[in-house]
Amino acid sequence: MLNFLEGYLPLLAGSILTVLLLGIQRSTRDPDLRDDLRGAVRMLLAFLVLRLASHFLPEASTPEGLRKFVGVGWMLTFAYGVIRAAVAFALKLVRMRSPVTTPKILRDVIDFTLYALATVPILQSQLNLDLAGLVASTAVLTVVIGLALQETLGNLFAGLSLQLDRPFEVGDFIRIGEHTGRVVHIGWRSIRIANFRREVITLPNSMVGKEHVKNFTQHREPVGIEVQVGVSLDAPPNQVKQALLEVAREIPQVLVQPPPMARTVGFTESNTQYMVRVFLNDFALSDSVKEELHTRLWYRLRREGMELPHAQRTVTLRRETKHRRRELADDTVRDLLRQVDLFTPLGPEEVERLQCEVVVRRFGRNERIIQEGDEGGTFYVVASGEVSVRAGTLQSEITRLGPGQYIGEMSLLTGEPRAATVVALQDSVLLELDRPTFARLFSDYPGLARQLSALLAQRRTQLRAVAQAAGGGPDHSPEAGRILGRLRSLFGLTHE
């Protein structure tokens, strides 16, 4: 090997190898191979410069020390370049058989080990150094340096152990002790993670090696997150769990498979503890999904009359009514009901009675009020906020409704499935009336059924063109007579 280096063949071999490596470097799509070959090309270019310099140095006027220095330089750079290229191609073959990325620290250890093995014979032959004696004479110095750098060496070996075990890679979301974030760098001494506040935290490898490490994204499998909530002891557990699951399924980031799950986990003096677990594709969404779950659960549980725990106990004596929580003044409710054309035939006394049967419902932003295709037994009047009416497979928006406008009347009065999905665009308060209320109205006002049928037919005709333009498909709605027939059948009306 040394005889070969001392001749002129390395100059030719180095030139050919440099050109080949440059071509491969520019054509490959493997970033790791490209980086490794870039280092090898730099070494070989340095070799060519030093080899040509040693050839043109005049023997008479050049000091012997400089000539030896240049000679050792081009021999080392040639050997290092060949080693770097050989290791690069060997690791490329490993990656072709396994999709796992080779740790950088392992590549460095291999390179430096081979560099040392190539350096020893070159220095011994060219400089006549007694390396064994040199090592023996510096043993004390080595011990002193080792003691001074024991923490650094601990980080070094801990980093090597982490790279060999591979509990995480760059890009993974991990939790180490109290720190949670995405791994952005893995080095010899430390790793760096970026948390949800976009702070970059540097953790020594020795500390990482002693802590429990949770990897939330290894192999890019779905990751589960959990939210716990306490609900009143009076709330039926099955009803609470059903509400938890329905709320979880409404959040777009939550996966359908694996499905969300809800569990009753325990009891306290003031509430029952529930857990809902959902699965995400990206752990980075966990904070936003948890926030959305808590927000939507507040609205849903409040509408269902399920009380959340309070810091203190209060005893309130009250008369239970159908709506239980009056969030709007009676005058406001009456004014809104008078704006609804369906109730135009009703007199003041009947509107007053109807106002007492209203249930006030509050929906949060992006909550689904009505789902297309579901059965519907409720009718809503928008009291505040704004809702979006959407239909079709693409859920294209048909229209937006504000205070005084109403939704859900067709399904409630005819028994047909919901024809559209309605979503709250902002926090909205709605007035809810159910089917028994309309049954009473039809009983008290025999001619009301025919009038409402005509209004419903007219309303459907007005929305038909808009729905078709939005991708809702052709409309096969019945005429006023058919609507009246379904209404009579649903409510058991034999005559007007």
Side-chain angles (χ1 to χ4, degrees):
M1 177 66 180
L2 293 180
N3 293 332
F4 171 77
L5 290 177
E6 291 174 354
Y8 287 96
L9 284 179
L11 184 60
L12 178 60
S15 301
I16 297 174
L17 184 59
T18 302
V19 173
L20 290 176
L21 294 182
L22 278 172
I24 297 174
Q25 179 195 350
R26 293 183 179 181
S27 62
T28 184
R29 296 182 179 180
D30 187 337
D32 292 331
L33 179 61
R34 189 184 304 117
D35 291 340
D36 290 341
L37 292 184
R38 185 180 296 113
V41 168
R42 290 173 180 172
M43 292 286 188
L44 292 174
L45 289 176
F47 153 72
L48 293 176
V49 171
L50 292 173
R51 187 66 182 92
L52 290 174
S54 68
H55 177 72
F56 290 106
L57 285 176
E59 296 185 4
S61 59
T62 302
E64 183 66 21
L66 178 59
R67 292 185 61 84
K68 285 189 175 183
F69 175 80
V70 173
V72 170
W74 68 256
M75 289 183 182
L76 290 176
T77 51
F78 179 80
Y80 293 169
V82 173
I83 290 172
R84 187 65 181 261
V87 172
F89 287 116
L91 294 179
K92 173 63 177 178
L93 292 176
V94 173
R95 289 194 297 272
M96 291 174 63
R97 296 185 177 182
S98 172
V100 179
T101 304
T102 306
K104 181 178 183 302
I105 191 172
L106 181 60
R107 298 202 306 269
D108 293 342
V109 168
I110 295 174
D111 286 342
F112 291 151
T113 301
L114 296 177
Y115 290 165
L117 294 177
T119 301
V120 170
I122 293 176
L123 293 182
Q124 285 181 331
S125 64
Q126 299 299 313
L127 302 180
N128 297 320
L129 292 180
D130 184 6
L131 295 181
L134 181 62
V135 170
S137 63
T138 57
V140 177
L141 181 61
T142 302
V143 173
V144 174
I145 295 176
L147 291 175
L149 298 178
Q150 59 180 343
E151 185 174 351
T152 301
L153 293 175
N155 289 327
L156 171 63
F157 287 107
L160 182 58
S161 175
L162 288 173
Q163 292 286 359
L164 293 175
D165 290 341
R166 304 183 65 81
F168 51 80
E169 299 177 4
V170 173
D172 287 350
F173 256 99
I174 64 173
R175 177 176 295 156
I176 302 176
E178 61 181 9
H179 303 290
T180 302
R182 189 186 296 276
V183 180
V184 296
H185 174 75
I186 302 176
W188 285 80
R189 190 189 67 85
S190 62
I191 71 166
R192 290 198 290 271
I193 62 175
N195 62 18
F196 292 113
R197 295 187 297 272
R198 297 188 178 182
E199 301 168 339
V200 178
I201 303 171
T202 301
L203 302 175
N205 287 334
S206 57
M207 185 274 283
V208 176
K210 298 176 183 177
E211 292 282 351
H212 295 289
V213 178
K214 283 188 177 182
N215 191 329
F216 299 103
T217 53
Q218 195 167 33
H219 307 308
R220 300 301 181 264
E221 292 289 332
V223 59
I225 61 172
E226 297 177 356
V227 169
Q228 290 201 6
V229 60
V231 183
S232 170
L233 290 167
D234 296 330
N238 287 337
Q239 186 177 350
V240 176
K241 289 188 288 186
Q242 181 65 26
L244 293 175
L245 292 175
E246 290 178 358
V247 168
R249 294 187 186 109
E250 291 178 0
I251 300 177
Q253 295 87 351
V254 173
L255 298 178
V256 177
Q257 290 293 335
M261 60 181 65
R263 298 286 187 270
T264 306
V265 295
F267 302 93
T268 67
E269 294 182 357
S270 60
N271 59 73
T272 305
Q273 291 290 319
Y274 298 90
M275 178 274 292
V276 58
R277 180 183 300 149
V278 300
F279 292 86
L280 312 174
N281 271 331
D282 188 356
F283 186 75
L285 302 172
S286 60
D287 275 5
S288 61
V289 170
K290 287 181 180 179
E291 190 275 335
E292 188 74 9
L293 269 172
H294 282 113
T295 299
R296 295 196 182 201
L297 282 173
W298 185 91
Y299 289 98
R300 176 62 182 268
L301 297 177
R302 184 178 178 89
R303 288 196 303 274
E304 299 288 341
M306 304 175 190
E307 295 185 355
L308 296 170
H310 300 279
Q312 59 183 6
R313 293 184 178 181
T314 58
V315 179
T316 304
L317 299 178
R318 63 189 181 192
R319 181 172 62 89
E320 291 291 333
T321 62
K322 185 176 180 181
H323 52 280
R324 287 188 284 187
R325 281 192 189 90
R326 177 65 71 195
E327 302 192 32
L328 296 174
D330 291 343
D331 291 342
T332 302
V333 175
R334 283 193 294 270
D335 292 341
L336 287 167
L337 293 176
R338 290 192 184 100
Q339 296 179 39
V340 179
D341 53 10
L342 297 180
F343 302 140
T344 301
L346 304 182
E349 294 182 359
E350 186 58 41
V351 172
E352 180 75 22
R353 184 178 177 184
L354 193 63
Q355 172 258 324
C356 295
E357 298 180 357
V358 162
V359 178
V360 179
R361 302 292 193 190
R362 182 181 294 274
F363 291 86
R365 178 173 57 89
N366 294 329
E367 270 201 292
R368 188 181 297 116
I369 303 169
I370 291 175
Q371 173 63 48
E372 182 177 2
D374 288 353
E375 295 183 1
T378 51
F379 164 83
Y380 297 98
V381 179
V382 181
S384 66
E386 187 178 31
V387 302
S388 171
V389 181
R390 305 168 182 177
T393 56
L394 300 179
Q395 288 294 285
S396 303
E397 185 175 86
I398 298 175
T399 185
R400 295 188 179 189
L401 303 178
Q405 297 177 293
Y406 56 90
I407 51 177
E409 72 287 348
M410 185 66 69
S411 182
L412 179 139
L413 295 175
T414 65
E416 299 175 356
R418 298 289 195 187
T421 297
V422 181
V423 178
L425 295 177
Q426 54 186 266
D427 279 18
S428 304
V429 176
L430 281 71
L431 308 181
E432 181 186 275
L433 291 168
D434 56 15
R435 189 168 285 153
T437 298
F438 279 86
R440 180 187 60 77
L441 289 175
F442 294 143
S443 176
D444 295 343
Y445 293 84
L448 184 61
R450 181 176 294 276
Q451 297 180 45
L452 292 188
S453 299
L455 287 173
L456 292 177
Q458 181 181 4
R459 180 178 172 88
R460 175 172 281 181
T461 300
Q462 292 172 347
L463 293 175
R464 183 182 306 168
V466 180
Q468 290 177 349
D475 184 75
H476 302 287
S477 60
E479 301 296 333
R482 292 186 59 193
I483 295 178
L484 179 59
R486 292 184 64 89
L487 190 151
R488 285 175 173 173
S489 175
L490 181 64
F491 287 91
L493 303 178
T494 57
H495 52 72
E496 299 180 14

